[in-house]
Amino acid sequence: MSSNRSIRSLVAAAIGAGLVLLGGCASGEGNVSSSASTASPAPSPSVTVRPPGAAELAAALPQGESLPGYSVNGEPESRTGVGTPDRSVRPAACRALQDARSGSSSTSVAEARVSISASTFAPPIETLTFTSHRPGGAASYLAAVDKALDACPSLSFLGRSGDRIRAEIERVPDRVSAGDASVSFEMHWALDVDGLTMETFSLVTAVRSGEAIMTVTSDSSVGSRLSAAKKRALVPKLDQALLKREADALRAAQDG
């Protein structure tokens, strides 16, 4: 009888040990499940800014007397679709710079522009352009301009009379305190006009706001006989207040 009791005790102990092991496994499985349930949720998709259409871009441009320190010359002009690159530019790798000067882009969705004049003596001829792009297009556009600036100390293009014009290119080092990213550069060339040599200084600034680009192009033409000091006084300069105001207006057109 004592032998039978010993056997029963051993069986009971084995069963108890098995139950303990099973309980431990169940507890471990419960911990894994709990850990999975409390893991950080997957990140929500990033919000894509909707590129504004031509009418929205035109409405965002300044009109009448709404631009401090400037006159707005006429009504905005707008269009839908991609721009037309200037294929006369040589080398072809520099084409992005002339396209930037015209506000044109092969990745654009829509465009609106207006002529403005600063309230100063002998103001340059200025054009303010808003261009919306396909998703990612605005960033790639600005990157192409930046790359071309590194590769192109000069370029040539065909003028209105069909003559080939050679322009010197120089990056503007001053930082533009507007938008998400920006690039600014100067172009300089000389032309004979009715026996007189005229020099043109062009300042081009492109600022990205979301999926859109604001471009301000300022052209100032002066006689080559002017002194260097007078030429410098007439060379277009960055207007940080204008750039900030219009970059904000372009951002608002996308947030609306």
Side-chain angles (χ1 to χ4, degrees):
M1 294 294 293
S2 62
S3 175
N4 290 338
R5 283 197 298 270
S6 298
I7 293 172
R8 286 197 297 271
S9 297
L10 290 172
V11 170
I15 293 173
L19 290 175
V20 170
L21 289 173
L22 288 174
C25 291
S27 175
E29 291 172 354
N31 287 341
V32 171
S33 174
S34 174
S35 175
S37 65
T38 58
S40 300
S44 58
S46 59
V47 177
T48 300
V49 178
R50 177 184 59 83
E56 293 169 297
L57 292 174
L61 285 170
Q63 299 183 32
E65 303 298 323
S66 64
L67 191 59
Y70 287 81
S71 297
V72 179
N73 308 318
E75 297 295 321
E77 299 178 0
S78 61
R79 64 165 181 80
T80 300
V82 299
T84 303
D86 186 347
R87 300 191 181 279
S88 75
V89 175
R90 297 176 186 170
C94 307
R95 190 174 294 160
L97 300 179
Q98 184 70 348
D99 290 346
R101 183 170 174 267
S102 67
S104 176
S105 171
S106 60
T107 63
S108 65
V109 173
E111 174 194 299
R113 64 179 60 207
V114 70
S115 172
I116 60 176
S117 299
S119 303
T120 58
F121 171 75
I125 299 172
E126 297 189 81
T127 303
L128 172 61
T129 306
F130 286 172
T131 309
S132 61
H133 292 252
R134 298 190 297 270
S140 63
Y141 167 89
L142 208 64
V145 175
D146 191 64
K147 182 180 179 181
L149 275 177
D150 289 336
C152 303
S154 64
L155 59 79
S156 68
F157 59 95
L158 291 180
R160 293 181 180 179
S161 61
D163 296 334
R164 183 156 290 277
I165 300 169
R166 186 177 184 276
E168 304 294 329
I169 310 293
E170 185 175 355
R171 184 190 293 269
V172 175
D174 296 341
R175 181 177 178 275
V176 175
S177 55
D180 301 320
S182 66
V183 64
S184 185
F185 61 95
E186 294 175 340
M187 297 178 66
H188 170 236
W189 65 89
L191 282 177
D192 286 334
V193 180
D194 297 330
L196 297 175
T197 301
M198 299 294 293
E199 294 182 64
T200 297
F201 297 88
S202 183
L203 173 64
V204 181
T205 303
V207 179
R208 180 176 70 83
S209 288
E211 293 296 346
I213 298 285
M214 173 196 68
T215 305
V216 179
T217 301
S218 306
D219 292 345
S220 181
S221 294
V222 300
S224 61
R225 295 182 179 179
L226 288 179
S227 66
K230 289 184 178 180
K231 288 179 183 178
R232 283 195 300 271
L234 297 173
V235 169
K237 299 174 180 60
L238 291 177
D239 185 338
Q240 298 282 7
L242 170 68
L243 296 172
K244 175 75 166 60
R245 177 188 173 92
E246 296 311 311
D248 289 348
L250 186 54
R251 171 70 72 179
Q254 297 170 81
D255 294 340

